[in-house]
């Protein structure tokens, strides 16, 4: 609605919004606001802003001299404040600027920068639940100021008129809504009270609620924020903050971290989650601006690595978006995010230095978050890398303990490679860390920075096979015929076959193969199939000599000692295929279709051979 500044209208004359009101309300409900419930937040925000202006006008007035009163009885919803009130000129300035973009509107916004919300669009949100908005206001700036009435209807018309001061004896503003029949779920007394508590529990001005039953009004915000209260002891303060975190988030915090950034007027707490957060779960935080709840899903207040905490904060200088349901991304928010991240790092440092039990419980639950932080933060790396748990050939242990028994630490590049070699490497005395999990391989390679003198190297097949003992020459010659048959049987899988001795003796065979080698062999195969074409030429140019896989048979295993003596070619071939299939399955890597077919075929052939033998 755009009323020209110099327009003159008869008092009480109908005027119409200079916009499509119904279309604007539809835009608000479907694209700006997440729910019609925001109507009460907008009314409370306007009331809080009016109180802020009243205190600026009367700075010597007690903090609780002015307040907000809410009323809902099912037929009306009313919000009354003792704020600075509006003159008739204010009504035309603040309630007649909807949709306007002008230098004057920008100056008004700048002047209202200390306030939470804005008149106009915010007040129109009431049309999400009501057919009529009635505003009665009296300015505190002029002692004998008349009352001003603004009445707007859902058909797009509104009236403005002045009334005697007796129509509203005290300065302030009263907004009354006549709810639509279909808006009962948002305007019933119980729901209106719940919404007032939800949005306004941390407001600094007294807010009361009356349900029209004649009883005393209930306080919406009976106590200040928990971090703003005084406590007899530090322990009592910690327990109170933890209890508040449990009330808000529904879990008992592992610990609570007080947050205080005076430069932006931010206070609050971060609650450390007692268990790891599943991937993909929202890690939103509860953010209040000047006491009014802005959002409980504000992910942007902390960096992504800080998913081990949930925060409740109240800030003075953070800027809401147009919907006032999230934060505007600007330099202030970026600085706040960095400062809060530093508070979390400081808490980790304190736990590492003075509370090893808390640190151990924290790392058990959130080692992945700490690893992600340690990759990019040298201080956290030096502080916590020795304490972080890793999967190793000695079990789950810390790198500090692992490096004490293994001067050279070997690390795999994938989980499947670790599972292939873990048992045999352990028996050979090799110290291997599973580097297949997120961040682990990169962090293990940085261990020498923390423990000088410790060597770290990637595990490759040659390193492992070098620690397997060769068999004597006579045994090698006796098994030569079998090994030749086995190599021929497995040639289709680019796999060589060798005979060695290694522990544990219960393992009949070890398949040594890397993911990179498999990818290179696959690329070479595609190049051969596409030979002559453009795609084949490209693949051929990219291909390089790839090491073959190795099936290493264990001479210490009774089954292998029997297999190498088989003189029947078909049975020897089938047994070699079966040993390959069993080793491939033990590696826990995905099987290729040809390997799955080989495993099924060799099993059935061995079963058929056993049945024939029993006849």
């Amino acid at each position: 609605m755009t009323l020209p500044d110099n327009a003159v209208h008869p008092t009480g004359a109908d005027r119409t919004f200079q916009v499509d009101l119904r279309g604007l309300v539809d835009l608000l409900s479907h694209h700006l606001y997440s729910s019609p419930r925001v109507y009460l937040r907008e009314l409370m925000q306007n009331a809080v802003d009016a109180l802020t202006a009243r205190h600026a006008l009367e700075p010597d007035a007690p903090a609780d001299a002015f307040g907000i009163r809410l009323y809902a009885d099912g037929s009306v919803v009313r919000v009354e404040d003792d704020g600075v009130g509006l003159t008739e000129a204010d009504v035309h300035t603040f309630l007649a600027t909807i949709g306007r973009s002008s230098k004057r509107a920008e100056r008004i916004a700048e002047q209202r920068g200390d306030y939470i919300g804005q008149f106009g669009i915010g007040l129109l949100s009431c049309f999400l639940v009501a057919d009529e908005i009635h505003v009665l206001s009296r300015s505190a700036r002029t002692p004998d100021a008349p009352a001003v009435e603004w009445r707007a209807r859902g058909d797009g018309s509104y009236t403005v008129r002045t009334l005697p001061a007796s129509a509203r004896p005290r300065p302030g503003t009263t907004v009354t809504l006549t709810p639509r029949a279909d808006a009962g779920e948002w305007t019933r007394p119980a729901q209106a009270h719940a919404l007032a508590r939800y949005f306004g529990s941390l407001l600094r001005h007294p807010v009361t609620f009356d349900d029209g039953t004649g009883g005393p009004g209930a306080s919406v915000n009976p106590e200040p924020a928990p971090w703003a209260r005084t406590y007899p002891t530090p322990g009592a303060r910690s327990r109170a903050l933890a209890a508040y975190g449990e009330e808000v988030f529904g879990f008992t915090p592992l610990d609570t971290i007080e947050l205080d950034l005076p430069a932006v007027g931010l206070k609050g707490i971060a609650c450390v989650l007692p268990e790891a957060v599943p991937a993909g779960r929202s890690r939103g935080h509860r953010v209040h601006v000047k006491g009014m709840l802005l959002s409980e899903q504000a992910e942007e207040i902390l960096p992504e690595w800080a998913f081990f905490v949930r925060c409740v904060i109240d800030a003075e200088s953070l800027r809401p978006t147009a919907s006032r349901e999230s934060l505007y991304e600007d330099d202030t928010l970026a600085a706040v995010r960095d400062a809060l991240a530093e508070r979390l790092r400081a808490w980790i440092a304190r736990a590492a230095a003075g509370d090893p039990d808390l640190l151990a419980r924290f790392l058990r639950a959130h080692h992945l978050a700490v690893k992600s932080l340690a990759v990019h933060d040298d201080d956290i790396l030096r502080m916590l890398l020795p304490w972080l748990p890793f999967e190793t050939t000695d079990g789950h242990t810390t790198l500090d303990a692992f490096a004490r028994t293994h001067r050279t630490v070997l690390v795999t590049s994938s989980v499947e490679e670790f599972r292939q070699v873990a048992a045999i490497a352990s028996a050979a005395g090799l110290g291997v860390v599973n580097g297949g999990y997120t961040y682990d391989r990169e962090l293990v390679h940085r261990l020498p920075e923390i423990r000088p003198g410790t060597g770290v190297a990637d595990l490759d097949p040659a390193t492992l096979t070098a620690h397997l003992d060769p068999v004597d020459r006579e045994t090698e010659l006796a098994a030569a015929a079998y090994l030749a048959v086995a190599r021929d049987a497995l040639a289709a899988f680019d796999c060589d076959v060798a005979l060695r001795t290694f522990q544990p003796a219960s393992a009949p065979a070890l398949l040594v193969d890397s993911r990179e080698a498999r990818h290179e062999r696959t690329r070479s195969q595609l190049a051969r199939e596409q030979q002559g074409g453009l795609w084949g030429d490209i693949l051929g140019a990219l291909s390089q000599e790839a090491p073959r896989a190795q099936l290493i048979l264990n001479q210490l295993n009774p089954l292998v000692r029997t297999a190498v003596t088989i003189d029947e070619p078909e049975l020897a071939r089938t047994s070699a295929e079966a040993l390959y299939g069993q080793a491939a399955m033990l590696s826990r890597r995905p099987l290729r279709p040809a390997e799955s077919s080989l495993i099924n075929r060799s099993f059935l052939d061995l079963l058929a051979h056993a049945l024939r033998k029993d006849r």
Side-chain angles (χ1 to χ4, degrees):
M1 54 183 177
T2 56
L3 184 69
D5 294 338
N6 60 355
V8 177
H9 293 283
T11 298
D14 277 356
R15 303 168 174 120
T16 57
F17 294 106
Q18 300 281 316
V19 296
D20 178 2
L21 180 60
R22 296 190 185 279
L24 180 58
V25 171
D26 180 72
L27 178 68
L28 297 180
S29 62
H30 290 96
H31 300 285
L32 186 62
Y33 295 124
S34 60
S35 166
R37 67 181 181 177
V38 299
Y39 82 94
L40 192 59
R41 183 197 65 196
E42 297 292 342
L43 291 179
M44 293 173 68
Q45 283 181 344
N46 284 341
V48 170
D49 288 346
L51 292 178
T52 301
R54 182 74 180 272
H55 278 288
L57 186 67
E58 303 176 34
D60 295 332
D64 58 353
F66 312 123
I68 302 171
R69 294 167 294 282
L70 283 69
Y71 176 90
D73 64 0
S75 60
V76 298
V77 175
R78 186 164 61 243
V79 178
E80 181 179 4
D81 67 68
D82 300 318
V84 72
L86 299 171
T87 65
E88 183 176 6
D90 292 333
V91 168
H92 291 306
T93 297
F94 295 123
L95 303 186
T97 57
I98 296 172
R100 178 186 297 180
S101 176
S102 68
K103 293 296 183 182
R104 184 170 181 274
E106 291 172 7
R107 288 197 302 272
I108 292 171
E110 291 174 2
Q111 293 166 4
R112 295 178 55 81
D114 290 338
Y115 306 142
I116 305 172
Q118 303 288 332
F119 283 108
I121 289 287
L123 190 59
L124 277 192
S125 69
C126 296
F127 280 120
L128 298 175
V129 298
D131 280 326
E132 183 174 285
I133 304 172
H134 177 252
V135 177
L136 182 63
S137 187
R138 181 181 170 191
S139 175
R141 300 184 187 279
T142 307
D144 58 349
V148 183
E149 179 190 67
W150 182 82
R151 189 184 298 272
R153 290 169 290 276
D155 62 3
S157 64
Y158 70 96
T159 60
V160 179
R161 62 175 181 160
T162 58
L163 301 173
S166 59
R168 198 183 197 288
R170 299 173 58 189
T173 301
T174 301
V175 181
T176 303
L177 308 182
T178 303
R180 295 197 309 270
D182 62 352
E185 66 173 307
W186 306 113
T187 58
R188 285 192 296 267
Q191 179 68 354
H193 187 203
L195 289 176
R197 288 276 300 162
Y198 175 72
F199 289 118
S201 63
L202 297 186
L203 287 175
R204 294 89 183 262
H205 306 285
V207 184
T208 59
F209 180 85
D210 183 356
D211 62 3
T213 59
S219 177
V220 169
N221 53 343
E223 295 182 299
W227 47 82
R229 305 173 203 164
T230 57
Y231 300 90
T233 65
R237 183 178 184 86
S238 295
R239 288 190 294 272
L241 295 178
Y244 180 73
E246 184 171 5
E247 176 187 345
V248 171
F249 294 125
F251 64 82
T252 302
L254 188 66
D255 196 14
T256 55
I257 308 164
E258 284 208 58
L259 306 174
D260 187 3
L261 302 177
V264 291
L266 183 149
K267 290 182 178 292
I269 58 172
C271 298
V272 182
L273 289 154
E275 55 189 22
V277 181
R281 178 176 294 182
S282 173
R283 52 182 174 81
H285 308 288
R286 193 178 179 94
V287 175
H288 300 250
V289 175
K290 299 180 176 69
M292 183 70 72
L293 177 65
L294 181 79
S295 173
E296 56 184 357
Q297 295 298 326
E299 298 185 2
E300 62 273 18
I301 198 68
L302 285 179
E304 290 187 5
W305 57 258
F307 52 79
F308 55 88
V309 296
R310 297 284 300 278
C311 292
V312 187
I313 64 168
D314 184 21
E316 294 284 339
S317 301
L318 293 179
R319 180 181 172 189
T321 59
S323 68
R324 293 188 284 283
E325 295 184 329
S326 59
L327 293 171
Y328 187 83
E329 188 68 46
D330 57 12
D331 292 342
T332 300
L333 179 57
V336 166
R337 184 163 49 236
D338 291 343
L340 292 180
E342 187 56 38
R343 298 296 189 276
L344 298 185
R345 290 190 185 95
W347 174 83
I348 294 174
R350 288 195 301 273
D355 197 337
D357 179 62
L358 174 61
L359 179 66
R361 288 184 287 128
F362 170 67
L363 291 179
R364 278 198 299 270
H366 301 295
H367 57 88
L368 183 60
V370 176
K371 286 178 179 179
S372 69
L373 178 57
V375 166
H376 305 291
D377 190 310
D378 291 345
D379 291 337
I380 294 296
L381 177 77
R382 287 190 292 270
M383 190 188 319
L384 293 182
L385 183 59
W387 302 97
L388 289 171
F390 289 80
E391 185 179 7
T392 75
T393 46
D394 292 351
H396 281 83
T397 186
T398 65
L399 285 185
D400 193 58
F402 193 67
R404 290 195 195 103
T405 56
H406 301 282
R407 186 172 181 81
T408 298
V409 176
L410 301 173
V411 58
T412 64
S413 59
S414 68
V415 173
E416 67 185 52
E417 288 176 6
F418 177 80
R419 290 171 177 168
Q420 283 180 27
V421 305
I424 295 167
S426 178
L430 297 175
V432 182
V433 179
N434 186 349
Y437 296 115
T438 306
Y439 311 117
D440 283 14
R441 182 167 175 266
E442 185 174 354
L443 288 172
V444 172
H445 274 285
R446 298 192 66 179
L447 182 60
E449 300 175 30
I450 312 303
R451 289 182 60 93
T454 301
V456 176
D458 288 324
L459 178 69
D460 58 46
T463 303
L464 181 64
T465 55
H467 284 77
L468 305 182
D469 295 327
V471 297
D472 58 69
R473 184 171 179 78
E474 291 75 12
T475 302
E476 182 85 30
L477 289 174
Y482 179 85
L483 295 176
V485 172
R487 290 179 183 124
D488 182 68
L490 302 180
F493 300 99
D494 287 320
C495 183
D496 195 9
V497 183
L499 187 64
R500 298 286 187 273
T501 63
F502 54 86
Q503 295 292 338
S506 58
L510 168 67
L511 182 59
V512 178
D513 196 11
S514 68
R515 180 183 299 178
E516 292 76 12
R518 289 198 305 275
H519 287 173
E520 182 57 37
R521 290 197 297 272
T522 300
R523 185 161 53 230
S524 298
Q525 177 64 30
L526 288 173
R528 289 193 295 271
E529 294 173 356
Q530 301 287 336
Q531 189 171 8
L534 175 62
W535 184 237
D537 292 341
I538 294 173
L539 290 174
L542 293 175
S543 65
Q544 49 188 300
E545 188 66 28
R548 303 182 71 193
Q550 265 197 317
L551 180 67
I552 303 176
L553 304 180
N554 187 5
Q555 176 64 19
L556 298 180
N557 182 266
L559 178 63
V560 172
R561 288 202 300 270
T562 301
V564 297
T565 64
I566 297 174
D567 54 9
E568 182 181 340
E570 284 303 316
L571 181 58
R573 185 182 187 89
T574 299
S575 67
E577 292 175 340
L579 287 169
Y580 175 88
Q582 189 257 1
M585 287 190 295
L586 286 179
S587 72
R588 302 185 187 181
R589 63 168 171 80
L591 297 176
R592 291 174 285 177
E595 290 173 329
S596 298
S597 176
L598 174 141
I599 291 170
N600 291 332
R601 184 178 68 251
S602 62
F603 171 76
L604 293 176
D605 288 349
L606 287 174
L607 181 60
H609 177 81
L611 292 175
R612 286 196 302 270
K613 186 176 180 181
D614 289 343
R615 289 177 182 174

